[in-house]
Amino acid sequence: MSQISLTFPDGNARDYPAGTTPAQVAESISKSLAKAAISATVNGAHWDLQWPIDADAEIAINTMKDDGPACELIRHDLAHIMARAVQELWPEVQVTIGPVIENGWYYDFDRAEPFTPDDLGAIEKKMKEIINARDAVRTEVWTREEAILHYRRAHEPYKVELVEAIPEGQPIRMYWHGDWQDLCRGPHLQHTGQVPADAFKLMKVAGAYWRGDSSRPQLQRIYGVAFRTRDELKAHLTFLEEAEKRDHRRLGREMKLFHFQEEAPGMVFWHPDGWTVYRQMEDYMRRRLSKAGYKEIKTPQVVDRKLWEASGHWDKYHENMFITEIDEEHANEKRMNALKPMNCPCHVQIFNQGLKSYRDLPLRLAEFGSCHRYEPHGALHGLMRVRGFTQDDAHIFCTEDQIESECAAFIELLSDIYRDTGFASFDIKLSTRPEVRVGSDEIWDKAEAALENAILKVRNDYEVDPGEGAFYGPKLDFKLTDAIGREWQCGTFQADFNMPERLDANYIGPDGEKHRPVMLHRAILGSFERFIGILIENYSGRLPFWLAPRQVVVASIVSEVDPYVEEVVSLLKAAGLRAEADTRNEKINYKVREHSVGKVPAILAIGQREAEDRTVTLRRLGEKETRVLSLDDIVATLAQEAVPPDLAG
RNA sequence: GCCGCAGUAGCUCAGUGGUAGAGCGCACCCUUGGUAAGGGUGAGGUCGGGAGUUCAAUCCUCCCCUGCGGCACCA
């Protein structure tokens, strides 16, 4: 038998017979390592201890100390253990597929009866029994025919389909825990007892389509989370609770920012404080866009179907559009209109008014475009997914040569805005040409290169998603990261070679001939509604001072000082601050608590002392300490703080 | 749109086949209190909508609406 050389992480190499498994390698090093081993990393690939190694390789033996492999194996084994538990409890249930996901795993089952919360408890109990049984994990490679035959006999049609879908040349592996077996690419642990029995939890049951296809049967998915230790699990559950506390729907209600109601699902009722936040953002964006050379416009809400047919949206999206029909009695002709679901066709109409010269380009038309889309009702989610929303939309009409500089300027603008709103880091994804597309390869080459070069002016790291561009042009997506590490896709920049063609936009070039402009669709916030939702969650409702709907509350301690309180409030208001008085017959403790809960960033308490000295006592949100300041000082300090970031020197 | 769960006072929730309850909030009264809930009294509910079963439905059944968790979708 031939020898192979295995190189360890410390650089030492040893010879082994070809076909040696990592388990044998571990055994050759020490008994304790053999016992602690969970998997190996072979030439960078995650490798089962039972898989033979046939050639020279770099190898590392993994134990539970290796975070990445450990969590992956624990979650993956738990997926199998759960499937086994379910089949032991309900033998008629069909198992389908169960991958590892962030923080855990899920497994999809086909079962006539829905799983109940009680069922989850029973499954969890059964899983612990399986773990405690310390069943050895065994693996074999089967032929496709064997696997298909096996699953046909077992009446597991989903598995048959999975086996059939495994690409030629890839091994078809079976794994056993005790008597239970599952198709799996592996790797897995040595035995079920290596899974920590106290560091996982079944979370919820949900419907999910087989293979993600809504035309196929719907299965029942059970989600679980798992970690290496009980403490890690606890920390994760605490994180989920924290995330729930910053849910913008709850904070929106508590802070009296907005509400929704049955009569207008997916449409926001903005309350005074919520609308204040909205207006601050809108004013801020207006200044930013204006400074960046955009011209603001406003286009109609209700537009004849003909325009949507011309733009091509009717064909594809009319089921998702709000349609209006005029009562025939009152209309001199019957017309079918749609609430605009997007702004671009209207922007082209403005571009098309009058002859445009190449000297007019790039023409940047911005609109806070109020759009309506009939979103499927299961998709609605607070401010994050609504049916009526306002995009910070703009379209740049330019030449092919201008794409790069426009894109670079856009990325710079977007960075500034994300930084100002508290999002220091964001990711960029470039989506390139799909199979089905309009436009020549030349223009795609040029546009893709333009977007890529524009990114490179700012940074080196970005993701490429090949083939994921729109049929009408390549695009960039921008994902920002919030305070608790969640990512939100907000910004987008899309080149469009199609719309100008469809709606016959053109300009006169230096050659005196007509040319097609390229249209760049772009948004930074995405929609004001959603972005404000993200802001609320990012800050847990404690919005930065310039955005806070109520910036200062001046609270009286005794009613004798009410006139002075009013005086302070009017001074603050005169300085442009959003201030209000709280002279209610309540104790200062009560007022401080209430305004703290209401996330007011500055509370000024006024008692006899302050009234006599003409001072205020400032208490910042979240701080216990108070500070006595003169009237002039407090007005100057807060007024300074209230200056929006783009205006601050 | 699909699967599952839910809808009782402004909010959070309890409850029952015989037309309902708590805490907070709200109103009024007492209290003028120095930095995260002072005390008392009171008002407030077609029990999501419709139909059915029943002598009787908030409760049981069916349909619809809305919300929640996923899935699918997101120009």
Side-chain angles (χ1 to χ4, degrees), chain A residues 562-573:
Chain A
D562 288 359
Y564 179 60
V565 167
E566 295 297 349
E567 188 190 341
V568 174
V569 168
S570 46
L571 279 173
L572 292 165
K573 280 186 174 164

Side-chain angles (χ1 to χ4, degrees), chain A residues 451-470:
Chain A
L451 300 195
E452 205 150 11
N453 289 336
I455 301 172
L456 289 170
K457 285 187 180 159
V458 190
R459 56 163 77 188
N460 291 319
D461 62 313
Y462 60 96
E463 196 187 320
V464 180
D465 213 342
E468 285 304 302

Side-chain angles (χ1 to χ4, degrees), chain A residues 81-200:
Chain A
I81 291 169
M82 181 169 80
R84 173 175 166 192
V86 166
Q87 285 201 315
E88 287 186 5
L89 289 164
W90 301 279
E92 77 285 2
V93 174
Q94 289 181 21
V95 293
T96 68
I97 198 164
V100 171
I101 53 174
E102 193 180 6
N103 300 316
W105 79 92
Y106 66 76
Y107 208 111
D108 288 346
F109 300 96
D110 190 1
R111 180 189 186 217
E113 298 294 306
F115 289 109
T116 66
D118 285 348
D119 291 342
L120 289 194
I123 295 166
E124 215 168 290
K125 195 165 157 240
K126 180 64 86 179
M127 289 170 72
K128 288 186 177 165
E129 286 172 21
I130 295 169
I131 290 169
N132 290 331
R134 302 172 68 84
D135 284 333
V137 173
R138 185 164 62 80
T139 182
E140 281 178 8
V141 175
W142 283 17
T143 65
R144 192 179 305 268
E145 293 66 35
E146 284 171 331
I148 290 173
L149 189 64
H150 167 78
Y151 279 123
R152 288 234 167 93
R153 283 194 183 135
H155 304 290
E156 294 275 11
Y158 298 100
K159 288 291 185 190
V160 173
E161 197 176 325
L162 288 179
V163 172
E164 282 169 346
I166 295 174
E168 215 40 70
Q170 202 173 304
I172 295 170
R173 281 209 175 82
M174 285 294 169
Y175 270 87
W176 280 264
H177 296 158
D179 293 335
W180 192 82
Q181 80 181 86
D182 198 1
L183 173 75
C184 186
R185 68 167 68 91
H188 277 285
L189 292 164
Q190 297 194 51
H191 59 84
T192 58
Q194 281 186 312
V195 175
D198 61 352
F200 75 91

